[in-house]
Amino acid sequence: MKRSDPRLSHRAWADEAVRRIEADVQRSSDTHLIPVALPWPGIALYLKDESSHPSGSLKHRLARSLFLYALVNGWLRESSTIVEASSGSTAISEAYFARLLGLPFVAVMPKSTSPEKIAAIEFQGGRCHLVDSAAAVYGESRRLADETGGHYMDQFTYAERATDWRGNNNIAASIFEQLELEPDPIPRWIVASAGTGGTLATLGRYVRYCRHTTKVCGVDAERSVFFDFYRTRDGALVRGDGSRIEGIGRPRVEASFMPDVIDAMVKVPDVWSIAAMVALGERLGRAVGASTGTNLIAALLCAGDLARRNESGSIVTLLCDGGDRYRRSYYDAAWLDEQGLRCEDEQRAVETWMDTGVEPPAHLFAREGLLR
Ligand SMILES: Cc1ncc(COP(=O)(O)O)c(C=O)c1O
């Protein structure tokens, strides 16, 4: 974009940047809502398919909101390097928008991140800066942004602030709009897992703002602090290890995780997340990511909760991204062996659960706010 009077040109540059992002929205269509058959009469499940965004995951919405938030705050310049701490999905989506605006992009991520995600970021013109542990991404991102005179997007802090929870085509408004002609247009439960917690914050705030009776169920991965934080509200909780389910689960309590807008919480062992990922992929005829498996387990627990209360209604959860990003991890038998995550038995149990409603032993899934 042409340089001119630095004071005016900055404002003109930012105006053009906002126009480009809005034009990108205009060119894009909304993501689909896919019904999935369940064995309980009167209980329906829908998947919000966020893998169909141009940058391939639910993070496309967040990345767009973070760029607009930074632009309207005057935090970006035509020479700004964008830096983000991400396990991959957010970085892929932010690299997409950085390229749209002609800005350099650096993703700071654990070196355990899947090679497919690294390739996807580089395909969008981004650069990957690998660090040893998940806990090191924050400090290193700050350092790199200071070093380059760039901007640290910081999804973990701003996810809940940058997204418009009143509507404006956020994920919640889109779900309710797409359910309007369904037998139960106001879902009993909306289920989502947490990485930043931004998606859950948007869902929880929207249903409260619209005064819907819908309840929000949060889901946590195995190696993460969110579930224990939800129960204890101990904000100082930390873990030394990182989550094995990419995109969700965190070693510390993130600023965008809002427990007060979440009505129930479930914790899912990693082997069941992967088992559900495979079982669902076979029903859909295409591979999904592991965090979608985590979501499915909690959605089935919510369905069981309704069935035990002899109640009916609809449940919505998220298909967060496609499985093609995990060929060399969750879809690789050798990797599963190495991680001790072979899940054939669990996969069969999930299939039985989805066919007959027979739930695996209750002790397997810690839950708060749901009937056992
Ligand atoms: C694949 C995947 N699923 C789920 C999530 C969780 O979304 P949120 O950050 O809004 O909590 C993420 C976040 O990065 C993700 O990458």
Side-chain angles (χ1 to χ4, degrees), residues 12-43:
W13 178 85
D15 290 354
E16 170 60 10
V18 170
R19 185 199 64 74
R20 285 188 183 197
I21 294 176
E22 292 302 298
D24 178 79
V25 178
Q26 190 71 16
R27 290 193 300 270
S28 310
S29 57
D30 201 351
T31 57
H32 314 297
L33 196 63
I34 305 169
V36 175
L38 288 182
W40 298 275
I43 300 179

PDB file of all heavy atoms in Angstrom, residues 12-43:
ATOM      1  N   ALA A  12      -5.062   6.145   7.091  1.00  0.00           N
ATOM      2  CA  ALA A  12      -5.550   5.645   5.790  1.00  0.00           C
ATOM      3  C   ALA A  12      -5.213   4.157   5.663  1.00  0.00           C
ATOM      4  O   ALA A  12      -6.037   3.355   5.196  1.00  0.00           O
ATOM      5  CB  ALA A  12      -4.912   6.437   4.651  1.00  0.00           C
ATOM      6  N   TRP A  13      -4.012   3.802   6.137  1.00  0.00           N
ATOM      7  CA  TRP A  13      -3.627   2.391   6.071  1.00  0.00           C
ATOM      8  C   TRP A  13      -4.581   1.534   6.914  1.00  0.00           C
ATOM      9  O   TRP A  13      -5.075   0.504   6.469  1.00  0.00           O
ATOM     10  CB  TRP A  13      -2.177   2.199   6.564  1.00  0.00           C
ATOM     11  CG  TRP A  13      -1.780   0.770   6.560  1.00  0.00           C
ATOM     12  CD1 TRP A  13      -1.277   0.065   5.503  1.00  0.00           C
ATOM     13  CD2 TRP A  13      -1.911  -0.163   7.639  1.00  0.00           C
ATOM     14  NE1 TRP A  13      -1.094  -1.259   5.847  1.00  0.00           N
ATOM     15  CE2 TRP A  13      -1.469  -1.418   7.166  1.00  0.00           C
ATOM     16  CE3 TRP A  13      -2.356  -0.062   8.946  1.00  0.00           C
ATOM     17  CZ2 TRP A  13      -1.475  -2.549   7.959  1.00  0.00           C
ATOM     18  CZ3 TRP A  13      -2.354  -1.200   9.750  1.00  0.00           C
ATOM     19  CH2 TRP A  13      -1.912  -2.437   9.247  1.00  0.00           C
ATOM     20  N   ALA A  14      -4.860   2.001   8.132  1.00  0.00           N
ATOM     21  CA  ALA A  14      -5.746   1.236   9.026  1.00  0.00           C
ATOM     22  C   ALA A  14      -7.159   1.139   8.436  1.00  0.00           C
ATOM     23  O   ALA A  14      -7.780   0.072   8.478  1.00  0.00           O
ATOM     24  CB  ALA A  14      -5.775   1.902  10.408  1.00  0.00           C
ATOM     25  N   ASP A  15      -7.636   2.216   7.821  1.00  0.00           N
ATOM     26  CA  ASP A  15      -8.965   2.176   7.180  1.00  0.00           C
ATOM     27  C   ASP A  15      -8.985   1.118   6.076  1.00  0.00           C
ATOM     28  O   ASP A  15      -9.901   0.298   5.986  1.00  0.00           O
ATOM     29  CB  ASP A  15      -9.309   3.543   6.560  1.00  0.00           C
ATOM     30  CG  ASP A  15      -9.576   4.603   7.619  1.00  0.00           C
ATOM     31  OD1 ASP A  15      -9.595   4.234   8.812  1.00  0.00           O
ATOM     32  OD2 ASP A  15      -9.723   5.776   7.244  1.00  0.00           O
ATOM     33  N   GLU A  16      -7.950   1.105   5.264  1.00  0.00           N
ATOM     34  CA  GLU A  16      -7.880   0.134   4.168  1.00  0.00           C
ATOM     35  C   GLU A  16      -7.787  -1.293   4.718  1.00  0.00           C
ATOM     36  O   GLU A  16      -8.397  -2.226   4.197  1.00  0.00           O
ATOM     37  CB  GLU A  16      -6.671   0.443   3.266  1.00  0.00           C
ATOM     38  CG  GLU A  16      -6.317  -0.615   2.228  1.00  0.00           C
ATOM     39  CD  GLU A  16      -7.423  -0.935   1.213  1.00  0.00           C
ATOM     40  OE1 GLU A  16      -8.429  -0.188   1.185  1.00  0.00           O
ATOM     41  OE2 GLU A  16      -7.284  -1.951   0.505  1.00  0.00           O
ATOM     42  N   ALA A  17      -7.053  -1.435   5.830  1.00  0.00           N
ATOM     43  CA  ALA A  17      -6.913  -2.770   6.445  1.00  0.00           C
ATOM     44  C   ALA A  17      -8.281  -3.268   6.918  1.00  0.00           C
ATOM     45  O   ALA A  17      -8.652  -4.423   6.663  1.00  0.00           O
ATOM     46  CB  ALA A  17      -5.924  -2.698   7.604  1.00  0.00           C
ATOM     47  N   VAL A  18      -9.052  -2.399   7.570  1.00  0.00           N
ATOM     48  CA  VAL A  18     -10.395  -2.792   8.031  1.00  0.00           C
ATOM     49  C   VAL A  18     -11.273  -3.132   6.816  1.00  0.00           C
ATOM     50  O   VAL A  18     -11.979  -4.148   6.814  1.00  0.00           O
ATOM     51  CB  VAL A  18     -11.038  -1.661   8.872  1.00  0.00           C
ATOM     52  CG1 VAL A  18     -12.516  -1.956   9.134  1.00  0.00           C
ATOM     53  CG2 VAL A  18     -10.282  -1.465  10.183  1.00  0.00           C
ATOM     54  N   ARG A  19     -11.179  -2.327   5.763  1.00  0.00           N
ATOM     55  CA  ARG A  19     -11.983  -2.596   4.552  1.00  0.00           C
ATOM     56  C   ARG A  19     -11.652  -3.985   4.000  1.00  0.00           C
ATOM     57  O   ARG A  19     -12.535  -4.758   3.658  1.00  0.00           O
ATOM     58  CB  ARG A  19     -11.718  -1.552   3.473  1.00  0.00           C
ATOM     59  CG  ARG A  19     -12.625  -1.718   2.235  1.00  0.00           C
ATOM     60  CD  ARG A  19     -12.100  -1.014   0.998  1.00  0.00           C
ATOM     61  NE  ARG A  19     -10.838  -1.583   0.544  1.00  0.00           N
ATOM     62  CZ  ARG A  19     -10.752  -2.772  -0.085  1.00  0.00           C
ATOM     63  NH1 ARG A  19     -11.842  -3.504  -0.292  1.00  0.00           N
ATOM     64  NH2 ARG A  19      -9.568  -3.237  -0.500  1.00  0.00           N
ATOM     65  N   ARG A  20     -10.340  -4.325   3.968  1.00  0.00           N
ATOM     66  CA  ARG A  20      -9.958  -5.627   3.416  1.00  0.00           C
ATOM     67  C   ARG A  20     -10.543  -6.778   4.246  1.00  0.00           C
ATOM     68  O   ARG A  20     -11.004  -7.774   3.696  1.00  0.00           O
ATOM     69  CB  ARG A  20      -8.430  -5.759   3.400  1.00  0.00           C
ATOM     70  CG  ARG A  20      -7.786  -4.950   2.307  1.00  0.00           C
ATOM     71  CD  ARG A  20      -6.328  -5.256   2.195  1.00  0.00           C
ATOM     72  NE  ARG A  20      -5.712  -4.405   1.171  1.00  0.00           N
ATOM     73  CZ  ARG A  20      -4.532  -4.663   0.623  1.00  0.00           C
ATOM     74  NH1 ARG A  20      -3.832  -5.714   1.026  1.00  0.00           N
ATOM     75  NH2 ARG A  20      -4.035  -3.866  -0.290  1.00  0.00           N
ATOM     76  N   ILE A  21     -10.544  -6.622   5.579  1.00  0.00           N
ATOM     77  CA  ILE A  21     -11.069  -7.698   6.428  1.00  0.00           C
ATOM     78  C   ILE A  21     -12.587  -7.812   6.256  1.00  0.00           C
ATOM     79  O   ILE A  21     -13.129  -8.909   6.121  1.00  0.00           O
ATOM     80  CB  ILE A  21     -10.686  -7.456   7.900  1.00  0.00           C
ATOM     81  CG1 ILE A  21      -9.160  -7.567   8.067  1.00  0.00           C
ATOM     82  CG2 ILE A  21     -11.405  -8.437   8.825  1.00  0.00           C
ATOM     83  CD1 ILE A  21      -8.646  -7.254   9.456  1.00  0.00           C
ATOM     84  N   GLU A  22     -13.250  -6.675   6.184  1.00  0.00           N
ATOM     85  CA  GLU A  22     -14.703  -6.710   5.990  1.00  0.00           C
ATOM     86  C   GLU A  22     -15.054  -7.296   4.615  1.00  0.00           C
ATOM     87  O   GLU A  22     -16.029  -8.026   4.468  1.00  0.00           O
ATOM     88  CB  GLU A  22     -15.280  -5.298   6.155  1.00  0.00           C
ATOM     89  CG  GLU A  22     -15.192  -4.754   7.589  1.00  0.00           C
ATOM     90  CD  GLU A  22     -15.904  -5.664   8.596  1.00  0.00           C
ATOM     91  OE1 GLU A  22     -17.131  -5.835   8.451  1.00  0.00           O
ATOM     92  OE2 GLU A  22     -15.219  -6.265   9.462  1.00  0.00           O
ATOM     93  N   ALA A  23     -14.209  -7.000   3.632  1.00  0.00           N
ATOM     94  CA  ALA A  23     -14.454  -7.557   2.285  1.00  0.00           C
ATOM     95  C   ALA A  23     -14.264  -9.073   2.314  1.00  0.00           C
ATOM     96  O   ALA A  23     -15.006  -9.821   1.661  1.00  0.00           O
ATOM     97  CB  ALA A  23     -13.492  -6.908   1.290  1.00  0.00           C
ATOM     98  N   ASP A  24     -13.315  -9.523   3.117  1.00  0.00           N
ATOM     99  CA  ASP A  24     -13.083 -10.969   3.244  1.00  0.00           C
ATOM    100  C   ASP A  24     -14.303 -11.643   3.851  1.00  0.00           C
ATOM    101  O   ASP A  24     -14.725 -12.708   3.417  1.00  0.00           O
ATOM    102  CB  ASP A  24     -11.845 -11.214   4.120  1.00  0.00           C
ATOM    103  CG  ASP A  24     -11.566 -12.711   4.329  1.00  0.00           C
ATOM    104  OD1 ASP A  24     -11.004 -13.336   3.426  1.00  0.00           O
ATOM    105  OD2 ASP A  24     -11.979 -13.238   5.384  1.00  0.00           O
ATOM    106  N   VAL A  25     -14.921 -10.983   4.842  1.00  0.00           N
ATOM    107  CA  VAL A  25     -16.149 -11.526   5.451  1.00  0.00           C
ATOM    108  C   VAL A  25     -17.248 -11.602   4.383  1.00  0.00           C
ATOM    109  O   VAL A  25     -17.933 -12.611   4.236  1.00  0.00           O
ATOM    110  CB  VAL A  25     -16.645 -10.608   6.595  1.00  0.00           C
ATOM    111  CG1 VAL A  25     -17.951 -11.153   7.176  1.00  0.00           C
ATOM    112  CG2 VAL A  25     -15.593 -10.438   7.672  1.00  0.00           C
ATOM    113  N   GLN A  26     -17.339 -10.520   3.619  1.00  0.00           N
ATOM    114  CA  GLN A  26     -18.384 -10.438   2.582  1.00  0.00           C
ATOM    115  C   GLN A  26     -18.225 -11.566   1.567  1.00  0.00           C
ATOM    116  O   GLN A  26     -19.196 -12.127   1.075  1.00  0.00           O
ATOM    117  CB  GLN A  26     -18.266  -9.068   1.882  1.00  0.00           C
ATOM    118  CG  GLN A  26     -19.381  -8.713   0.953  1.00  0.00           C
ATOM    119  CD  GLN A  26     -20.672  -8.393   1.707  1.00  0.00           C
ATOM    120  OE1 GLN A  26     -20.640  -8.145   2.925  1.00  0.00           O
ATOM    121  NE2 GLN A  26     -21.799  -8.459   1.016  1.00  0.00           N
ATOM    122  N   ARG A  27     -16.975 -11.921   1.261  1.00  0.00           N
ATOM    123  CA  ARG A  27     -16.712 -12.985   0.269  1.00  0.00           C
ATOM    124  C   ARG A  27     -16.949 -14.385   0.857  1.00  0.00           C
ATOM    125  O   ARG A  27     -17.077 -15.358   0.122  1.00  0.00           O
ATOM    126  CB  ARG A  27     -15.243 -12.922  -0.201  1.00  0.00           C
ATOM    127  CG  ARG A  27     -14.877 -11.735  -1.067  1.00  0.00           C
ATOM    128  CD  ARG A  27     -13.524 -11.926  -1.738  1.00  0.00           C
ATOM    129  NE  ARG A  27     -12.451 -12.101  -0.772  1.00  0.00           N
ATOM    130  CZ  ARG A  27     -11.739 -11.099  -0.250  1.00  0.00           C
ATOM    131  NH1 ARG A  27     -12.034  -9.849  -0.566  1.00  0.00           N
ATOM    132  NH2 ARG A  27     -10.773 -11.337   0.613  1.00  0.00           N
ATOM    133  N   SER A  28     -16.995 -14.460   2.198  1.00  0.00           N
ATOM    134  CA  SER A  28     -17.090 -15.797   2.826  1.00  0.00           C
ATOM    135  C   SER A  28     -18.530 -16.121   3.207  1.00  0.00           C
ATOM    136  O   SER A  28     -19.288 -15.232   3.547  1.00  0.00           O
ATOM    137  CB  SER A  28     -16.235 -15.831   4.098  1.00  0.00           C
ATOM    138  OG  SER A  28     -14.944 -15.351   3.824  1.00  0.00           O
ATOM    139  N   SER A  29     -18.889 -17.425   3.191  1.00  0.00           N
ATOM    140  CA  SER A  29     -20.230 -17.803   3.672  1.00  0.00           C
ATOM    141  C   SER A  29     -20.093 -18.405   5.067  1.00  0.00           C
ATOM    142  O   SER A  29     -18.991 -18.720   5.499  1.00  0.00           O
ATOM    143  CB  SER A  29     -20.850 -18.820   2.713  1.00  0.00           C
ATOM    144  OG  SER A  29     -19.965 -19.918   2.633  1.00  0.00           O
ATOM    145  N   ASP A  30     -21.215 -18.545   5.765  1.00  0.00           N
ATOM    146  CA  ASP A  30     -21.164 -19.037   7.144  1.00  0.00           C
ATOM    147  C   ASP A  30     -20.914 -20.540   7.155  1.00  0.00           C
ATOM    148  O   ASP A  30     -21.057 -21.225   6.135  1.00  0.00           O
ATOM    149  CB  ASP A  30     -22.491 -18.718   7.846  1.00  0.00           C
ATOM    150  CG  ASP A  30     -22.321 -18.724   9.360  1.00  0.00           C
ATOM    151  OD1 ASP A  30     -21.234 -19.141   9.826  1.00  0.00           O
ATOM    152  OD2 ASP A  30     -23.263 -18.336  10.064  1.00  0.00           O
ATOM    153  N   THR A  31     -20.517 -21.040   8.293  1.00  0.00           N
ATOM    154  CA  THR A  31     -20.221 -22.475   8.404  1.00  0.00           C
ATOM    155  C   THR A  31     -21.517 -23.251   8.632  1.00  0.00           C
ATOM    156  O   THR A  31     -22.498 -22.696   9.114  1.00  0.00           O
ATOM    157  CB  THR A  31     -19.264 -22.713   9.582  1.00  0.00           C
ATOM    158  OG1 THR A  31     -19.881 -22.193  10.772  1.00  0.00           O
ATOM    159  CG2 THR A  31     -17.936 -22.003   9.349  1.00  0.00           C
ATOM    160  N   HIS A  32     -21.471 -24.565   8.320  1.00  0.00           N
ATOM    161  CA  HIS A  32     -22.696 -25.377   8.344  1.00  0.00           C
ATOM    162  C   HIS A  32     -23.030 -25.882   9.744  1.00  0.00           C
ATOM    163  O   HIS A  32     -22.179 -25.926  10.615  1.00  0.00           O
ATOM    164  CB  HIS A  32     -22.512 -26.594   7.426  1.00  0.00           C
ATOM    165  CG  HIS A  32     -21.923 -26.241   6.091  1.00  0.00           C
ATOM    166  ND1 HIS A  32     -22.585 -25.419   5.203  1.00  0.00           N
ATOM    167  CD2 HIS A  32     -20.738 -26.549   5.525  1.00  0.00           C
ATOM    168  CE1 HIS A  32     -21.817 -25.271   4.133  1.00  0.00           C
ATOM    169  NE2 HIS A  32     -20.691 -25.930   4.307  1.00  0.00           N
ATOM    170  N   LEU A  33     -24.286 -26.316   9.914  1.00  0.00           N
ATOM    171  CA  LEU A  33     -24.727 -26.993  11.134  1.00  0.00           C
ATOM    172  C   LEU A  33     -25.183 -28.387  10.698  1.00  0.00           C
ATOM    173  O   LEU A  33     -26.123 -28.515   9.907  1.00  0.00           O
ATOM    174  CB  LEU A  33     -25.874 -26.217  11.776  1.00  0.00           C
ATOM    175  CG  LEU A  33     -26.214 -26.535  13.222  1.00  0.00           C
ATOM    176  CD1 LEU A  33     -25.048 -26.200  14.152  1.00  0.00           C
ATOM    177  CD2 LEU A  33     -27.470 -25.780  13.654  1.00  0.00           C
ATOM    178  N   ILE A  34     -24.490 -29.405  11.190  1.00  0.00           N
ATOM    179  CA  ILE A  34     -24.704 -30.779  10.706  1.00  0.00           C
ATOM    180  C   ILE A  34     -25.423 -31.608  11.765  1.00  0.00           C
ATOM    181  O   ILE A  34     -24.930 -31.745  12.884  1.00  0.00           O
ATOM    182  CB  ILE A  34     -23.334 -31.443  10.406  1.00  0.00           C
ATOM    183  CG1 ILE A  34     -22.518 -30.596   9.429  1.00  0.00           C
ATOM    184  CG2 ILE A  34     -23.511 -32.860   9.908  1.00  0.00           C
ATOM    185  CD1 ILE A  34     -21.061 -31.067   9.307  1.00  0.00           C
ATOM    186  N   PRO A  35     -26.602 -32.185  11.437  1.00  0.00           N
ATOM    187  CA  PRO A  35     -27.261 -33.066  12.405  1.00  0.00           C
ATOM    188  C   PRO A  35     -26.551 -34.422  12.499  1.00  0.00           C
ATOM    189  O   PRO A  35     -26.044 -34.925  11.491  1.00  0.00           O
ATOM    190  CB  PRO A  35     -28.669 -33.236  11.833  1.00  0.00           C
ATOM    191  CG  PRO A  35     -28.656 -32.703  10.451  1.00  0.00           C
ATOM    192  CD  PRO A  35     -27.352 -32.020  10.209  1.00  0.00           C
ATOM    193  N   VAL A  36     -26.469 -34.977  13.708  1.00  0.00           N
ATOM    194  CA  VAL A  36     -25.863 -36.302  13.935  1.00  0.00           C
ATOM    195  C   VAL A  36     -26.885 -37.139  14.703  1.00  0.00           C
ATOM    196  O   VAL A  36     -27.392 -36.701  15.739  1.00  0.00           O
ATOM    197  CB  VAL A  36     -24.562 -36.184  14.764  1.00  0.00           C
ATOM    198  CG1 VAL A  36     -24.012 -37.562  15.094  1.00  0.00           C
ATOM    199  CG2 VAL A  36     -23.529 -35.344  14.021  1.00  0.00           C
ATOM    200  N   ALA A  37     -27.184 -38.346  14.196  1.00  0.00           N
ATOM    201  CA  ALA A  37     -28.215 -39.189  14.831  1.00  0.00           C
ATOM    202  C   ALA A  37     -27.788 -39.664  16.223  1.00  0.00           C
ATOM    203  O   ALA A  37     -26.613 -39.978  16.439  1.00  0.00           O
ATOM    204  CB  ALA A  37     -28.488 -40.408  13.946  1.00  0.00           C
ATOM    205  N   LEU A  38     -28.739 -39.644  17.168  1.00  0.00           N
ATOM    206  CA  LEU A  38     -28.498 -40.159  18.521  1.00  0.00           C
ATOM    207  C   LEU A  38     -29.571 -41.205  18.849  1.00  0.00           C
ATOM    208  O   LEU A  38     -30.657 -41.180  18.277  1.00  0.00           O
ATOM    209  CB  LEU A  38     -28.563 -39.017  19.542  1.00  0.00           C
ATOM    210  CG  LEU A  38     -27.407 -38.009  19.560  1.00  0.00           C
ATOM    211  CD1 LEU A  38     -27.639 -36.981  20.672  1.00  0.00           C
ATOM    212  CD2 LEU A  38     -26.068 -38.692  19.730  1.00  0.00           C
ATOM    213  N   PRO A  39     -29.290 -42.111  19.796  1.00  0.00           N
ATOM    214  CA  PRO A  39     -30.238 -43.210  20.078  1.00  0.00           C
ATOM    215  C   PRO A  39     -31.380 -42.836  21.030  1.00  0.00           C
ATOM    216  O   PRO A  39     -32.300 -43.618  21.221  1.00  0.00           O
ATOM    217  CB  PRO A  39     -29.329 -44.264  20.719  1.00  0.00           C
ATOM    218  CG  PRO A  39     -28.267 -43.474  21.403  1.00  0.00           C
ATOM    219  CD  PRO A  39     -28.011 -42.272  20.514  1.00  0.00           C
ATOM    220  N   TRP A  40     -31.324 -41.608  21.612  1.00  0.00           N
ATOM    221  CA  TRP A  40     -32.353 -41.262  22.607  1.00  0.00           C
ATOM    222  C   TRP A  40     -33.518 -40.536  21.901  1.00  0.00           C
ATOM    223  O   TRP A  40     -33.306 -39.498  21.263  1.00  0.00           O
ATOM    224  CB  TRP A  40     -31.781 -40.333  23.685  1.00  0.00           C
ATOM    225  CG  TRP A  40     -30.673 -40.930  24.482  1.00  0.00           C
ATOM    226  CD1 TRP A  40     -30.792 -41.727  25.586  1.00  0.00           C
ATOM    227  CD2 TRP A  40     -29.263 -40.745  24.277  1.00  0.00           C
ATOM    228  NE1 TRP A  40     -29.565 -42.083  26.068  1.00  0.00           N
ATOM    229  CE2 TRP A  40     -28.587 -41.487  25.277  1.00  0.00           C
ATOM    230  CE3 TRP A  40     -28.490 -40.053  23.344  1.00  0.00           C
ATOM    231  CZ2 TRP A  40     -27.203 -41.537  25.377  1.00  0.00           C
ATOM    232  CZ3 TRP A  40     -27.102 -40.093  23.430  1.00  0.00           C
ATOM    233  CH2 TRP A  40     -26.473 -40.839  24.440  1.00  0.00           C
ATOM    234  N   PRO A  41     -34.743 -41.039  22.019  1.00  0.00           N
ATOM    235  CA  PRO A  41     -35.868 -40.369  21.337  1.00  0.00           C
ATOM    236  C   PRO A  41     -36.031 -38.925  21.815  1.00  0.00           C
ATOM    237  O   PRO A  41     -35.871 -38.637  23.004  1.00  0.00           O
ATOM    238  CB  PRO A  41     -37.085 -41.215  21.732  1.00  0.00           C
ATOM    239  CG  PRO A  41     -36.623 -42.269  22.668  1.00  0.00           C
ATOM    240  CD  PRO A  41     -35.148 -42.177  22.825  1.00  0.00           C
ATOM    241  N   GLY A  42     -36.220 -38.003  20.857  1.00  0.00           N
ATOM    242  CA  GLY A  42     -36.472 -36.607  21.231  1.00  0.00           C
ATOM    243  C   GLY A  42     -35.219 -35.819  21.548  1.00  0.00           C
ATOM    244  O   GLY A  42     -35.282 -34.624  21.874  1.00  0.00           O
ATOM    245  N   ILE A  43     -34.035 -36.460  21.484  1.00  0.00           N
ATOM    246  CA  ILE A  43     -32.792 -35.727  21.741  1.00  0.00           C
ATOM    247  C   ILE A  43     -31.981 -35.679  20.440  1.00  0.00           C
ATOM    248  O   ILE A  43     -31.665 -36.720  19.855  1.00  0.00           O
ATOM    249  CB  ILE A  43     -31.967 -36.384  22.863  1.00  0.00           C
ATOM    250  CG1 ILE A  43     -32.786 -36.421  24.152  1.00  0.00           C
ATOM    251  CG2 ILE A  43     -30.647 -35.633  23.077  1.00  0.00           C
ATOM    252  CD1 ILE A  43     -32.098 -37.069  25.331  1.00  0.00           C
TER     253      ILE A  43
END
